[in-house]
Amino acid sequence: MERVIVVGAGVIGLSCAVRLLEAGCEVHVLARDLPDETTSAVSAAMWYPYRAAPPDRVRAWARRSFLDYVDIAAQHEEAGVRLRSGTELMRVDTGNPEWLADVLEYARLDDVPEPYVAGRRFRTPVADMGIYLPWLRHRLHELSGTLTRMALAQLPAPQDGVVVDTSGLGARLLAADATVRPLRGQVVVVEQFGLTEWSLDDSVPTYVVPREHTVVVGGTAEEDEWSVQPDAELSAGLLDRAHDLLLRTGAPAMADRLRRARIVAHRVGLRPERPSVRLDEEVVDGVRVVHCYGHGGSGMTLSWGCASDVVDLVVAG
Ligand SMILES: Cc1cc2nc3c(=O)[nH]c(=O)nc-3n(C[C@H](O)[C@H](O)[C@H](O)COP(=O)(O)OP(=O)(O)OC[C@H]3O[C@@H](n4cnc5c(N)ncnc54)[C@H](O)[C@@H]3O)c2cc1C
């Protein structure tokens, strides 16, 4: 049985750990931040490829993940994953991305309000990270994997076995990779007000994404910005933009409820952006290391596809 140390307990690390355990490996996860403290926990966690490359691999990882999320939603109600319909409005009509072929119930909108020029509706998986990450953690333990809090100054160097590096932004230190950079995202989490559909304007970006008990209102995409302190002015702007978006997607009652919804939290996450996702293997001082980091704005979207490729690399070696 292959012994694997996974570094990182975000959505990528936990998904890799679960798939490696299912493939018969012995798995130990080490992480500075526990799942609910990671960038992944801040994520709106809607399946939607955004700020991740290269296009051909992203397409394949996203498609694979979509199918796995559909299975999870059908078989594990307790996992907090739902297939949700929603509306996307666009200020510039860039045509249909290839991944639209993977979503459910796609329909182009012919009539969109100003300042938008195009729109579409589709159904896609949305994970409530407050439920989904604990579910993944539970799966890990159920399959006899372990999770230990540990801040590492370098990647572990076990005598045998493989190290899987899913450290996200931490790869700047652990893999000495300065091409991974923060893409700051701020959100406001409000209490659920009866919202079941998501709304998105990806040009700003602005989104309103329902979870089970809360709604995530976003967002921002600030390059090379390291502050994890929420900015009050930004939050106010997010709520205003979200309100306008709900009005324009034809949900005035929801827009009104958003105005009155109780704010639960202001949160910031630093997306691990890289010119392209790193998923490859190298040998460092005699230790096999499989890297899987740099998922930018698509960690949830790509998680299962990447985990599957990580298993292939680990097992093939
Ligand atoms: C506001 C916001 C909204 C988003 N919305 C979406 C969305 O709708 N859909 C989507 O697909 N994606 C979305 N994302 C992106 C997504 O959250 C990220 O791509 C994803 O979280 C990356 O996961 P990860 O596991 O690689 O990294 P992380 O979640 O950051 O986890 C990294 C792990 O590595 C550990 N680590 C790092 N350094 C060390 C070290 N030195 N020693 C030990 N452990 C270490 C950390 O402690 C942590 O456990 C969003 C992000 C933000 C911020």
Side-chain angles (χ1 to χ4, degrees), residues 177-189:
D177 185 346
T179 68
V180 201
R181 293 153 68 163
L183 182 66
R184 182 180 186 277
Q186 180 168 325
V187 296
V188 182
V189 183

Side-chain angles (χ1 to χ4, degrees), residues 7-13 30-33 38-40 42-46 150-152 166-168 170 173-174 185-187 207 269-272 295-301:
V7 176
V11 70
I12 300 298
L30 307 179
R32 183 192 58 213
D33 308 301
T38 60
T39 299
S40 301
V42 179
S43 173
M46 172 176 154
M150 198 179 291
L152 301 169
T166 64
S167 58
L173 171 72
L174 297 181
Q186 180 168 325
V187 296
Y207 49 83
L270 303 181
R271 301 175 185 89
H295 296 80
S298 296
M300 175 273 184
T301 305

Side-chain angles (χ1 to χ4, degrees), residues 117-129:
V117 297
R120 52 195 173 217
R121 283 184 57 78
F122 55 91
R123 209 159 160 233
T124 190
V126 176
D128 182 331
M129 286 307 211

Side-chain angles (χ1 to χ4, degrees), residues 169 181-185 221-228 268-270:
L169 203 50
R181 293 153 68 163
L183 182 66
R184 182 180 186 277
E222 302 151 75
E223 292 178 359
D224 290 320
E225 190 50 68
W226 283 93
S227 170
V228 290
V268 173
L270 303 181

Side-chain angles (χ1 to χ4, degrees), residues 226-237:
W226 283 93
S227 170
V228 290
Q229 289 305 316
D231 176 309
E233 215 171 295
L234 261 183
S235 287

